[in-house]
Amino acid sequence: MTNNLQTVKIGFIPLVDCALLAITKEKGFGAEHGIDLDLHKEVSWANIRDKVYLGYLDGAQMLAGMPLAANLSLMPNSSDIIAPFVLGRNGNAITVSHALYEEMVAEGGELLDELDLVKTGAALKAVIEKRKQTGKSRLRFAMVFPFSCHNYHLRYWMAACGIDPDVDVHLEVIPPAFMDENLEQGYIDGFCVGEPWNSLAVAQDLGVIIASTAQIWSQSPEKLLGMRKDWVERNSALFTGLMKALAQAANWAAETSHQEEIAEILSEHQYLDVPAEIILKALSGNLCLKKGNAPVFIKDFMALAGQGANCPHPQEGVWILQQMERWKQIKPPFDAQLALESAFSRTLYGEVLGLEEGEEQGLRLFDFA
């Protein structure tokens, strides 16, 4: 059977939510459908964008905003992308330096007991206002890519707390694996990134986790499988096999008894190269927010599968498009319908894997207003 396998080249970033790709390969689900899944570890989302555009990759793990941005030609290297499978929901957090955390505690009291976004946001706003009055420089926050939920979640939370993310702080792009180093060196005061980089920062005593993005938008689509449209059109049978293999991986991952094995797989050098016990924190939702503190269970911190998690929902793409417009990345007129049909392809998901009754659901977005 091995000799008959056809190679599919997929890029990924070393993050816990690349798990379904790793499981598909390591557990043999890809091979069951005639696929030799050739996974390429990339350092940044810009690398993913460029290598998919240039054809070095057939597809990739993509941020939820990337397929939309690609189909609207918002990025310098934009190819038409089809994204019919959600690889993971939530799984990001906001981490700040110890110095900033202590400033926030001085303004708002203990913040980790309740993990209340309103209280935490008010403390951050108070710090920003004090820094303005004393002539200190603006705080620097990092996120991973302009068209990412990290960017939109961070901006949404700050704006809801009365902080203008374009005026009151600096926001910059740093690849996920470099966040901790930049925090340690003092180049940034905080970041929003996926796991394991928040938990690793805590384990190394570099920072404090002050919020989970699951609190901002519960069940937010975080990563999608994004494929080149022309590749899918030329390889429809292979693409169908890949979708079915990923669905098998998702069903396997949905069993909580498999979490430790998933963490062991991801801890290998070719994937995250991070201790399994750190990775397990995100998978279980039991995060240590500050070194030395007891773990805290965060409901729905990350979902790789189960309860329709892998099916894209167009209204989720609409919210992302609204954020693009809100933060002036796009302005009307633009063909939102065309972008959504490909980038959040619920129809294609249904054709290959079927839709379960009741899968369509409204946004569970926490709004401070």
Side-chain angles (χ1 to χ4, degrees):
M1 183 175 181
T2 302
N3 292 335
N4 296 325
L5 299 182
Q6 291 183 267
T7 300
V8 180
K9 295 178 292 185
I10 300 292
F12 73 95
I13 295 290
L15 292 160
V16 175
D17 55 19
C18 76
L20 295 189
L21 294 170
I23 292 167
T24 297
K25 181 178 180 66
E26 301 298 334
K27 300 299 290 184
F29 297 129
E32 287 184 26
H33 293 275
I35 295 169
D36 174 18
L37 192 57
D38 185 13
L39 296 178
H40 293 246
K41 185 176 178 178
E42 303 294 338
V43 70
S44 71
W45 295 109
N47 272 28
I48 292 277
R49 174 200 63 200
D50 294 344
K51 289 190 175 181
V52 170
Y53 170 77
L54 294 170
Y56 291 113
L57 297 171
D58 302 320
Q61 171 200 26
M62 290 188 179
L63 296 156
M66 288 180 73
L68 288 169
N71 293 341
L72 291 170
S73 299
L74 299 179
M75 300 187 290
N77 290 327
S78 291
S79 50
D80 289 340
I81 298 296
I82 292 175
F85 194 94
V86 178
L87 294 172
R89 293 178 178 272
N90 302 331
N92 302 327
I94 299 172
T95 297
V96 299
S97 67
H98 282 288
L100 175 53
Y101 178 70
E102 292 306 322
E103 285 187 74
M104 292 171 66
V105 169
E107 298 296 331
E110 179 55 50
L111 301 172
L112 302 184
D113 289 346
E114 302 174 46
L115 213 59
D116 182 323
L117 289 184
V118 175
K119 183 178 179 181
T120 305
L124 179 61
K125 179 176 172 57
V127 170
I128 290 170
E129 293 303 320
K130 180 171 281 189
R131 292 176 72 94
K132 285 180 183 177
Q133 294 166 8
T134 55
K136 290 184 177 179
S137 59
R138 283 188 286 174
L139 294 169
R140 307 183 76 87
F141 281 82
M143 41 79 186
V144 301
F145 197 68
F147 303 105
S148 68
C149 282
H150 311 69
N151 186 23
Y152 305 134
H153 287 163
L154 197 55
R155 286 173 173 273
Y156 185 91
W157 170 60
M158 286 183 174
C161 297
I163 300 166
D164 186 333
D166 286 323
V167 174
D168 295 330
V169 298
H170 284 291
L171 279 181
E172 53 194 87
V173 172
I174 294 177
F178 297 107
M179 289 288 189
D180 291 359
E181 179 183 352
N182 276 269
L183 191 69
E184 181 179 24
Q185 297 297 323
Y187 298 138
I188 55 176
D189 301 289
F191 55 67
C192 182
V193 72
E195 284 287 84
W197 305 108
N198 299 282
S199 289
L200 200 59
V202 171
Q204 296 174 331
D205 207 16
L206 304 178
V208 180
I209 297 174
I210 60 168
S212 153
T213 56
Q215 297 172 274
I216 299 171
W217 179 6
S218 176
Q219 298 301 316
S220 166
E222 176 51 36
K223 304 295 188 313
L224 305 174
L225 172 70
M227 303 293 295
R228 291 176 59 93
K229 183 179 180 182
D230 59 345
W231 185 92
V232 172
E233 290 173 346
R234 291 196 309 271
N235 301 277
S236 60
L238 201 54
F239 173 71
T240 297
L242 178 59
M243 288 276 287
K244 290 182 177 178
L246 283 170
Q248 280 185 262
N251 288 336
W252 185 85
E255 297 290 335
T256 54
S257 61
H258 294 154
Q259 286 181 353
E260 289 189 7
E261 186 176 349
I262 296 171
E264 290 292 340
I265 291 172
L266 293 178
S267 70
E268 296 294 327
H269 173 72
Q270 67 269 30
Y271 296 114
L272 274 59
D273 198 17
V274 167
E277 59 266 27
I278 297 293
I279 297 168
L280 193 57
K281 293 179 184 300
L283 295 172
S284 67
N286 290 299
L287 273 71
C288 183
L289 306 179
K290 184 180 180 185
K291 190 174 178 65
N293 285 15
V296 173
F297 176 70
I298 299 177
K299 186 176 183 296
D300 298 328
F301 177 77
M302 169 179 279
L304 297 175
Q307 299 181 331
N310 304 115
C311 182
H313 300 281
Q315 73 268 33
E316 298 168 342
V318 170
W319 186 86
I320 294 173
L321 286 172
Q322 288 171 341
Q323 300 311 302
M324 289 179 176
E325 187 173 1
R326 179 182 186 183
W327 303 113
K328 299 181 173 52
Q329 291 178 323
I330 54 174
K331 60 181 179 181
F334 52 86
D335 196 338
Q337 189 60 37
L338 181 63
L340 286 167
E341 285 175 356
S342 295
F344 280 72
S345 183
R346 183 177 171 83
T347 300
L348 188 52
Y349 181 97
E351 289 174 357
V352 177
L353 301 174
L355 294 174
E356 296 178 8
E357 188 175 348
E359 278 185 350
E360 188 70 43
Q361 52 189 308
L363 300 185
R364 284 177 279 178
L365 181 69
F366 179 76
D367 196 334
F368 295 104

